[in-house]
Amino acid sequence: MYGLFRAPFLLYIIIRYSPFKIICFKERSKLMSDTLNEYQGKATMEKITSLAKRRGFVFQSSEIYGGQSGAWDYGPLGIELKNRIAGAWWKEMTQLNDDIVGLDAAILMHPRTWEASGHVENFTDPLVDCKKCKSRFRADQIPEEKLSSKKCPDCDGELTDTRKFNLMFKTNIGPAEDTSSVIYLRPETAQGIYVNYKNIVQSNRMKIPFGIAQIGKAFRNEIVTKNFIFRTCEFEQMEMQYFVKGGTDEEWFNTWRKRRWAYYEKLGVSMDHLRWHQHGPGELAHYAKEAWDIEYLFPMGWRELEGVHNRTDYDLGRHTEYSGKDLQYIDQETNERYVPYIIETSAGLTRNLLMILCDAYDEEQVADKGSDDDWRTVLRFHPVLAPITVAVLPLMKKDGLAELAQDIRKELKEDFSTDYDQSGAIGRRYRRQDEVGTPFCVTVDYQSKEDGTVTLRYRDSMEQIRISRTELVQRLRTDIKEYKRIK
Ligand code: ATP
C-alpha cells in the first residue's frame, strides 16, 4: 500500500524540481498518476478556496459567528464574476434565440405547486446517522458494504436505519404557525416557469416550439454540504424550459444537448474536462424520459455541472390536474390542442462559478531562476467573464504619470470594467492582476507623456506591445472578441 503511494510521489518530486523552465500546472498534473492527481486535486481546491477568500471572490457566510454551513457570500470580485456568468448564459438563451423569452418568478409559490410537481412526496434523500461519532451521511453516497453492515465510514460505529429526508425548506407565511400557513422555499426555479407558461403564451404570442429562461435562487436542505460552493443549501440556478410538441421531443432534446455543449466550448472551458453522463433507469427522475448530465472534472473528481432533461408532458399534465386549469396549447393554424412536452436545460450558476474558477486556475513557472518565487498564479478567465477587464498602472506615481493613468482609466471605464493600481513594483502589480484573472494591463510611462503611447500587456502570453492610447478601446474590443485560450 505504502509503495503504491510512494511511486507517484517520487514522480511528482522529480517533475516538480526538474530543469524544465515553463511547465504548466495542468501539464504537470497530466503526467502524474491517478493517486497523485487526486492529492493534487485536493490541494487545488484548497488553493482556490483560499485565493477566493484572499482576493474577495467568496467568503464564508456569517464568518464572525463561526460561519453558516451551506451558505456563502460573494465579494466584490465574486459578484462581478457571477453577474458575468449569468450574463453570458442570459445572452446565449434570450438574445441569440428569437424563440426564448425571460422570466423572474417569485421564490415563494402556492404550496399546491410542490404537491403537483411531486416534490412533497418525492424530493427526498436517504439519510443515515452514526450513533457513535454523530456524523450524518447520504445513504447513497457511502460504500455499499458499509451501508449493508451498518458501519460508519468514518469511525466504524453503528449506523441508524435509513430514513427519507425531504430537502425542501419549510416555513410559515403570516402570523399563524399552523398547517394552513405552511410555505416552501423553492427547491428549483423550473416550477415558476411552468405555472406561468400560459401567461407567457398569451401575453407574448409565443408559438411552439419556444422557450422560457430564468435565473434565480433555489434552496435545498442538503444533508452534506462540502467542496466549497459545489453543493450548498442556498444557490442559484439558470434554467431554460423549451416547450415542444410530443413526437418532436427527441429531436429537440438532441438539439439542446448539442447547443449546451457548444456553449461551454465558446466560453473557453477545457473541453477535455467535460463529459456526458447518461442517467440509467435507476437514476432517472420520476418525470424524465431521458436525462443526460454535463459533468466537469472538478479537483474532487467528475461531478454534475448541468442537466439536460426530457420531462415529457408530466409537469403541465400535473399542474392541469392540481390547478383545474386547462394548460393545453392551441395551435392557431391547425386548431390542434395538446399539452406540450418540455425539454429542460438546468445549470447551477454558483456551481458554474466554481467550475470557471477551477478551470481558469493555473500555476506557471515564469522565469529561469529555479526558485519558488518564479511561479505565478493566474486565473485564465475568458475576457468576457473576467471581473476586471483592464487594469491601468502608472510606472511611477510622480511626474504626472498617475494623473495621466487616471485620465486613461476614466476613458476606458465607459466600455470596460477597470482597476487602477499604483503601489509596488510593476512586476508585483502584474502578478496581482494575473491572480484575479485580469486579461489586459495598460502601463503608463514617461514615453506616454511624450508620444501618447502606452504598453498593453496580455495576461496569458505576458506579451507586451506599444500602442497609441487613442487605439486602446478598439484594440481591446477586438482582442476580447477574438480571444482564444492558449493554455
Ligand atoms: P446533484 O446530483 O448534484 O444533487 P441534482 O441532479 O439534484 O444535482 P438538479 O436538480 O438537476 O440537480 O439541478 C440542476 C443543477 O442545479 C445541477 O446540475 C447543479 O448545477 C445545480 N444544483 C443542484 N443542487 C445544488 C446545490 N445543492 N448546490 C449548488 N448547485 C446545485
Side-chain angles (χ1 to χ4, degrees), residues 220 222 230-232 235 237 304-307 309 346-348 351:
R220 294 183 188 179
E222 298 280 1
F230 177 79
R231 184 181 302 287
T232 51
F235 58 100
Q237 288 186 314
E304 176 179 336
L305 177 67
E306 159 160 4
H309 311 130
S346 175
R351 198 174 282 183

Side-chain angles (χ1 to χ4, degrees), residues 146-413:
K146 293 280 177 192
L147 190 63
S148 51
S149 60
K150 286 190 146 185
K151 284 214 166 119
C152 171
D154 286 354
C155 74
D156 266 356
E158 192 192 342
L159 291 176
T160 59
D161 288 336
T162 306
R163 57 195 190 281
K164 277 187 172 180
F165 171 77
N166 195 299
L167 272 75
M168 279 198 295
F169 278 103
K170 209 191 242 185
T171 185
N172 298 89
I173 193 159
E177 287 194 16
D178 53 30
T179 47
S180 64
S181 68
V182 164
I183 197 154
Y184 301 96
L185 298 186
R186 69 178 177 200
E188 62 175 28
T189 55
Q191 300 300 326
I193 295 181
Y194 306 148
V195 300
N196 276 295
Y197 136 86
K198 201 98 202 200
N199 284 337
I200 289 177
V201 168
Q202 283 162 357
S203 62
N204 296 66
R205 293 184 293 128
M206 302 307 288
K207 287 199 174 64
I208 275 183
F210 74 91
I212 304 175
Q214 176 168 225
I215 299 176
K217 292 241 174 185
F219 301 83
R220 294 183 188 179
N221 200 353
E222 298 280 1
I223 296 168
V224 184
T225 54
K226 58 179 184 185
N227 292 320
F228 192 29
I229 54 172
F230 177 79
R231 184 181 302 287
T232 51
C233 292
E234 177 177 343
F235 58 100
E236 280 173 74
Q237 288 186 314
M238 308 184 285
E239 295 197 303
M240 193 284 299
Q241 312 292 328
Y242 201 72
F243 298 81
V244 304
K245 189 175 176 190
T248 64
D249 53 311
E250 285 174 21
E251 203 183 318
W252 278 113
F253 181 76
N254 291 331
T255 301
W256 277 106
R257 274 189 57 202
K258 281 192 206 122
R259 289 185 184 176
R260 295 310 299 150
W261 187 260
Y263 168 75
Y264 288 110
E265 199 161 16
K266 195 158 113 183
L267 276 192
V269 176
S270 325
M271 296 312 279
D272 58 348
H273 277 54
L274 286 177
R275 72 176 186 193
W276 283 107
H277 165 75
Q278 182 176 19
H279 285 214
E283 278 172 284
L284 221 47
H286 57 280
Y287 52 75
K289 176 171 162 186
E290 194 175 356
W292 290 73
D293 292 338
I294 297 180
E295 293 185 336
Y296 181 78
L297 184 56
F298 286 95
M300 65 281 186
W302 289 98
R303 295 284 192 286
E304 176 179 336
L305 177 67
E306 159 160 4
V308 183
H309 311 130
N310 182 345
R311 299 182 67 123
T312 69
D313 56 357
Y314 176 86
D315 300 283
L316 292 183
R318 291 278 288 197
H319 284 303
T320 303
E321 189 187 329
Y322 279 71
S323 68
K325 300 282 182 313
D326 181 3
L327 298 180
Q328 288 183 101
Y329 173 79
I330 307 165
D331 188 320
Q332 302 291 348
E333 277 154 33
T334 61
N335 264 337
E336 214 182 337
R337 289 168 168 264
Y338 57 88
V339 176
Y341 271 49
I342 292 170
I343 308 300
E344 168 183 72
T345 72
S346 175
L349 168 55
T350 40
R351 198 174 282 183
N352 254 263
L353 189 144
L354 178 62
M355 178 277 283
I356 292 291
L357 273 177
C358 295
D359 202 63
Y361 188 91
D362 203 1
E363 289 174 1
E364 185 182 40
Q365 196 174 23
V366 287
D368 191 15
K369 294 188 194 133
S371 91
D372 269 0
D373 295 346
D374 308 326
W375 288 77
R376 69 166 179 158
T377 298
V378 51
L379 290 178
R380 299 187 192 280
F381 292 136
H382 191 294
V384 160
L385 301 182
I388 302 163
T389 314
V390 51
V392 184
L393 321 169
L395 194 63
M396 302 280 183
K397 282 182 238 172
K398 54 184 187 178
D399 302 329
L401 293 187
E403 289 76 9
L404 182 57
Q406 287 282 19
D407 195 47
I408 292 174
R409 184 196 188 188
K410 203 169 151 207
E411 233 168 65
L412 295 174
K413 260 183 189 179

